[in-house]
Amino acid sequence: MSYGPFDLRGIPLALHLNGRVDVPALLDACAVVGRRHPVLGRVRVTRTETAPERYRGLAEAEAARPFDLDRGPLARFTLVTTGPGRVRLLFVAHPRVFDAGSKDVLLRDLADVYFSRAVVPRPAAGPPAAVPPDAAVSPEAEAFWAERGRVPAGSAEPVLPGLRAVPGGTGPGELVEMVLGASESGALTEAAGTLGATRFELLLAILGVLLRAYGTERSPLALDLGTRTRETRGCVGPFTARVPFVPHPGADEEFPAHVRAVRAELRAMYRFRHAPPEPSRAPVLLSYRRRAEVPEFAGVAAGVEWTVFNGTARGALHVQAVDAGRSLTLGLRFNPAAIDQADVARIAGDLRALLRAVPETPHAGIAELAEVAAPVT
């Protein structure tokens, strides 16, 4: 696999600790957790200080600093002291050895080691396999993905407001972010229950409606699906498969029927997610994860920045959803060479309008919902 300059950036995470932080114990915990997860390889741990007003710039630079894939290391901790009792722990790892789901595992283990002052890691036989041994490509899996690779009539190019081109691969990025609070998030949960779907399934169906409203003829979507098993759910690693998603709402379809199609397709895909097709061009990407609770660090107040931005974007639009149950954070990443921020802000507003409309009229038609997102003037 060839890597461009923006593919060399990693997945960042920031832990904020306020109070009487035992800095030596925290540094020990970083080293121990690095050894606990051998897939990370040699982990660099450094320490620095900065003024509070300079922390944001330091964190952004650290998140964007590229990795050397040949020489390593592929994971690094940076402990930043911004004042008395104020510690920021930045972690960045390359997607070769880390994924979004690994954030929960890493933080839980850091809290565990920090609390116990353990200096000996758990025994590890070696890096876990991202693909289970029994998940080799079967004729059934090959047939499944071959069927989804057949191109029906119509174009899968996304139609988005202001989109000038569909970039290939990973490039420079900017971000528009929005947060659904308790009221909107709760309404989404009720709508999902009414339609017999999960929150992820409902979000995916709504994103399809938005693309249809803009005039997209066929699904341009790819999904990041987790591939952890019972044996690897406590492991750090690249347990994510990027897969094409075929169902797309018809203009004359009812929304509940589209939700059922989305749900059925996902249930079928889960069986074969460990053996995805070769990576393909993904004009629009959806990444979704349920966020764990912030682990307790003994004696200090802890907070986490789960979605630190590393300045990259993939394809025409990358929607990252972090679901905390009572809230839903949506980050829309985009390449400014392909689409302007004002246009992505409009997309975010249209998506929010749909996320509000569906709980109010969950049995509406696609055409009716499309009018909410992209009204005819």
Side-chain angles (χ1 to χ4, degrees), residues 25 29 109-118 296-299:
D109 282 2
L110 274 173
D112 173 51
V113 177
Y114 177 79
F115 177 79
S116 65
R117 294 301 303 268
E296 182 178 350
F297 283 77

Side-chain angles (χ1 to χ4, degrees), residues 131-156:
V131 177
D134 60 352
V137 179
S138 64
E140 190 177 12
E142 289 182 338
F144 178 86
W145 292 117
E147 176 66 26
R148 275 129 189 92
R150 293 173 187 159
V151 181
S155 171

Side-chain angles (χ1 to χ4, degrees), residues 162-289:
L163 183 66
R164 297 182 289 274
V166 178
T170 304
E174 294 182 6
L175 177 70
V176 170
E177 190 172 77
M178 64 176 176
V179 179
L180 274 65
S183 176
E184 290 175 301
S185 183
L188 205 63
T189 298
E190 290 184 14
T194 298
L195 293 166
T198 66
R199 285 164 62 93
F200 171 49
E201 292 162 350
L202 187 59
L203 175 61
L204 177 54
I206 289 172
L207 183 56
V209 173
L210 179 66
L211 292 167
R212 165 61 71 178
Y214 289 146
T216 302
E217 298 177 9
R218 192 164 57 83
S219 174
L221 279 166
L223 309 178
D224 279 340
L225 294 183
T227 61
R228 280 178 171 78
T229 64
R230 183 177 300 177
E231 292 74 23
T232 57
R233 63 187 176 188
C235 298
V236 162
F239 296 97
T240 302
R242 185 157 295 161
V243 298
F245 188 76
V246 173
H248 194 59
D252 299 326
E253 193 175 0
E254 298 297 313
F255 184 67
H258 179 55
V259 171
R260 289 193 295 271
V262 166
R263 184 175 176 84
E265 178 70 2
L266 285 172
R267 290 295 181 272
M269 290 171 66
Y270 290 150
R271 292 182 57 203
F272 305 112
R273 68 189 188 277
H274 294 100
E278 290 296 320
S280 58
R281 187 166 174 260
V284 180
L285 176 64
L286 173 62
S287 306
Y288 174 93
R289 61 183 292 268

